[in-house]
Amino acid sequence: MSIPETQKELDGLRRLDPQVIGAIYDRYFPVVFRFVSYRVNDETLAEDITSEVFVRLLESSKKKRGPETNLKSWLLTTASHIINDHLRRVYRRQTVELTETLTDPDYLPPDTFDLREQNRVVKNALAQLTPEQQDVLSLRFGAGYSLEETAAVMQKKVNAVKALQFRAVAALNRKLEEVLHG
């Protein structure tokens, strides 16, 4: 009987084996990046946060405090904490985002303007949900995780994830209704 892949990864990580660390990075970077980008909706910021997750993985492993059983769950939970910290800092220090091309919306094709406006409305509505609700929606719809995978990452029972997802979707609908119907 062979050792499961995840156990091999965890053992190699504990030994700080460079090949295993490289393989972990290659295997999990896209997963973590998808999760983060769904939450922050900014590719550069998503890359920075995802990189920070892997830096924390190495730091934790060096201190013998790395993941014990579920590497993927540890990575996504760490990503969630970093995202929440970032969002708290941004919330305290409101900024106005300037795009690289300062295009006048009057000169955009109507479809492009409508799509951007819809994305802005949905992003703002998502930001008003609790971090836990944002996580469940990010995992289920952003990363495409099953209920079981989402439950493992969030360290909850499947029924709790179902209920949380139901409440998150309902809350998101309410927020969108408020915006659309004033």
Side-chain angles (χ1 to χ4, degrees):
M1 181 172 161
S2 68
I3 300 174
E5 195 65 31
T6 305
Q7 191 58 50
K8 286 182 183 179
E9 291 170 337
L10 289 170
D11 292 343
L13 185 60
R14 286 184 196 106
R15 291 189 316 271
L16 299 173
D17 181 326
Q19 286 184 319
V20 172
I21 292 169
I24 288 170
Y25 183 85
D26 291 344
R27 179 175 179 193
Y28 292 105
F29 187 92
V31 173
V32 176
F33 179 77
R34 253 191 335 271
F35 171 73
V36 173
S37 16
Y38 189 82
R39 286 282 310 272
V40 299
N41 200 23
D42 175 336
E43 190 171 328
T44 303
L45 178 60
E47 287 173 359
D48 291 345
I49 290 174
T50 303
S51 295
E52 176 65 20
V53 169
F54 287 93
V55 167
R56 289 190 186 184
L57 176 66
L58 283 177
E59 289 171 349
S60 295
S61 297
K62 285 179 182 177
K63 295 176 184 174
K64 307 294 185 208
R65 294 187 196 144
E68 295 293 322
T69 56
N70 191 330
L71 180 57
K72 186 175 176 183
S73 178
W74 189 96
L75 291 168
L76 293 174
T77 301
T78 302
S80 180
H81 291 305
I82 295 170
I83 292 165
N84 293 337
D85 290 345
H86 169 76
L87 293 176
R88 273 193 290 274
R89 281 191 307 274
V90 169
Y91 179 75
R92 286 187 197 127
R93 177 182 34 105
Q94 290 294 323
T95 59
V96 176
E97 184 178 321
L98 296 176
T99 59
E100 288 182 24
T101 57
L102 296 174
T103 307
D104 184 349
D106 294 336
Y107 296 109
L108 289 175
D111 291 345
T112 303
F113 181 75
D114 289 344
L115 183 60
R116 284 186 182 176
E117 181 61 17
Q118 287 173 354
N119 286 338
R120 187 191 65 76
V121 168
V122 171
K123 181 181 173 186
N124 288 340
L126 276 168
Q128 294 178 38
L129 300 178
T130 67
E132 196 172 57
Q133 289 173 332
Q134 291 177 30
D135 282 348
V136 77
L137 294 178
S138 296
L139 290 166
R140 293 285 291 132
F141 304 117
Y145 281 23
S146 69
L147 285 168
E148 293 76 15
E149 290 171 318
T150 303
V153 169
M154 296 186 75
Q155 298 174 340
K156 295 186 173 295
K157 295 187 184 293
V158 172
N159 285 339
V161 169
K162 284 182 188 178
L164 178 60
Q165 178 183 322
F166 178 80
R167 289 191 309 273
V169 169
L172 183 60
N173 281 332
R174 281 192 304 276
K175 301 290 182 194
L176 291 172
E177 286 293 320
E178 289 172 12
V179 171
L180 296 175
H181 301 295

